[in-house]
Amino acid sequence: DLTMLTKRAYAAAPTLVPRKLPLPPNDNFGTYEPTLSADGNTIYFARFFNSGDTRVKGPSDIFVTHRVRQSGEWPGTAEDWSPAERLPDTINSDSVDQEPWLTPDGNTLYFMSKRKTPGLGPTGIWVSQKQPDGQWGQAQPVAGGNINKSEYVTHCFMPFDLPGQASAMC
């Protein structure tokens, strides 16, 4: 019986209760492929050009919102979060930029992009480092291995990270 097997297999797993993120992360423009900072106070996500948000310059861009106030249990209320901001052109391009993933220290952002680069594609994993002034540096394709070979469609999907929990890499 599959049901019994499933119950046995997950009997020791914690019970997670899904909660919709409050506005502005879930505003009328849409929020896709979110990744959380280790402290749970920053959310990076993708937004698509047809969402109605005129700040999206490519087919999809990466945005960020910050928890600026803590009114109670995470994730709080809409008033606890800053309005969504499009990341700068050092990360976003006129191509598809999506599937962000932030390292636990908050200093490295990986994402998938379809920007045209010799030897890469049709998609690749890109990376940007936070600079000493807090700004994101110019994104570069992840080097080495078989990650960005031109014959592969490469994605950067990560498990949804929970605040205070270990995360996984590309």
Side-chain angles (χ1 to χ4, degrees):
D1 178 63
L2 183 59
T3 304
M4 186 186 303
L5 178 62
T6 302
K7 286 182 182 175
R8 274 193 215 138
Y10 294 100
T15 301
L16 297 176
V17 178
R19 285 181 275 172
K20 182 177 180 181
L21 291 174
L23 300 171
N26 275 344
D27 63 19
N28 294 332
F29 297 124
T31 301
Y32 304 92
E33 306 158 353
T35 188
L36 298 171
S37 61
D39 65 5
N41 291 326
T42 303
I43 302 172
Y44 292 87
F45 59 92
R47 185 164 280 170
F48 297 96
F49 78 97
N50 60 354
S51 67
D53 189 333
T54 57
R55 298 173 296 170
V56 179
K57 296 180 183 177
S60 60
D61 284 335
I62 299 173
F63 283 72
V64 65
T65 182
H66 304 280
R67 191 171 183 199
V68 293
R69 187 181 77 167
Q70 297 189 13
S71 66
E73 185 178 354
W74 189 90
T77 66
E79 292 75 30
D80 294 341
W81 293 88
S82 66
E85 299 172 43
R86 181 183 179 272
L87 291 185
D89 290 343
T90 56
I91 292 179
N92 286 308
S93 68
D94 61 358
S95 188
V96 171
D97 298 300
Q98 59 191 49
E99 300 171 15
W101 186 81
L102 187 68
T103 56
D105 66 9
N107 292 322
T108 306
L109 184 70
Y110 291 91
F111 60 97
M112 184 276 283
S113 182
K114 287 189 174 181
R115 59 189 84 183
K116 302 292 182 213
T117 302
L120 256 71
T123 61
I125 306 281
W126 289 68
V127 61
S128 176
Q129 302 290 328
K130 195 168 275 188
Q131 304 301 299
D133 65 0
Q135 298 299 310
W136 287 106
Q138 184 61 51
Q140 301 293 324
V142 171
N146 293 329
I147 294 174
N148 286 330
K149 284 195 168 182
S150 60
E151 64 265 25
Y152 298 121
V153 174
T154 308
H155 290 277
C156 196
F157 282 118
M158 306 294 168
F160 188 81
D161 302 333
L162 297 174
Q165 301 296 313
S167 32
M169 276 278 298
C170 291

